Amino acid sequence: MHISPDQVIFWQYGFLKLNSTIIFTWGLMFVLAVGSKLITRKLSIGLERSRWQNLLEIVVTSIEKQIEEVGLSQPQKYLGFLGTLFLFVATASLCHSQSLHAHSRL
């Protein structure tokens, strides 16, 4: 028997329901927001950069190149929205694949 995450209800009041899909999405958004705040709190413009800043610059540059390769002429214009969307989908996919891997070992 396979139970969908939408079938697991944590809280319900009338027609309002908080299922595991909504809780997972909110939790993931919270983790991404706190992570971005921690990573970007001490950015530098000099030659001495932290590992986190180097990783962040690699991710931003890669997303910018992907947007440009799709054919959009000004990738900076779309970077905020598409970059956030990409990071959310990529992180959610990694978390989902890890949960599948953990359940397959049981």
Side-chain angles (χ1 to χ4, degrees), residues 1-16:
M1 180 170 91
H2 178 71
I3 297 177
S4 168
D6 293 332
Q7 295 173 337
V8 179
I9 306 294
F10 288 106
W11 180 80
Q12 181 175 355
Y13 183 75
F15 67 91
L16 297 174

Side-chain angles (χ1 to χ4, degrees), residues 5 7-8 16-17 27 37 41-42 55-56 58-59 69-70 73 75 81-82 85 88-89 101:
Q7 295 173 337
V8 179
L16 297 174
K17 296 179 183 178
K37 187 69 173 174
R41 66 182 170 168
K42 293 184 180 179
L55 176 67
L56 184 64
I58 290 170
V59 169
E69 287 175 3
V70 168
S73 60
F81 174 70
L82 293 177
L85 188 62
F88 177 79
V89 171
H101 182 65

Side-chain angles (χ1 to χ4, degrees), residues 48-62:
E48 293 292 323
R49 296 185 186 134
S50 68
R51 284 187 224 164
W52 291 110
Q53 183 172 349
N54 285 329
L55 176 67
L56 184 64
E57 289 187 16
I58 290 170
V59 169
V60 169
T61 304
S62 299

Side-chain angles (χ1 to χ4, degrees), residues 97-106:
S97 66
Q98 289 298 320
S99 69
L100 289 177
H101 182 65
H103 288 295
S104 68
R105 287 187 275 155
L106 295 177

Side-chain angles (χ1 to χ4, degrees), residues 59-72 75 79 82 86:
V59 169
V60 169
T61 304
S62 299
I63 293 172
E64 199 171 67
K65 285 181 184 177
Q66 289 290 321
I67 294 171
E68 192 173 14
E69 287 175 3
V70 168
L72 299 173
L79 185 63
L82 293 177
F86 169 77

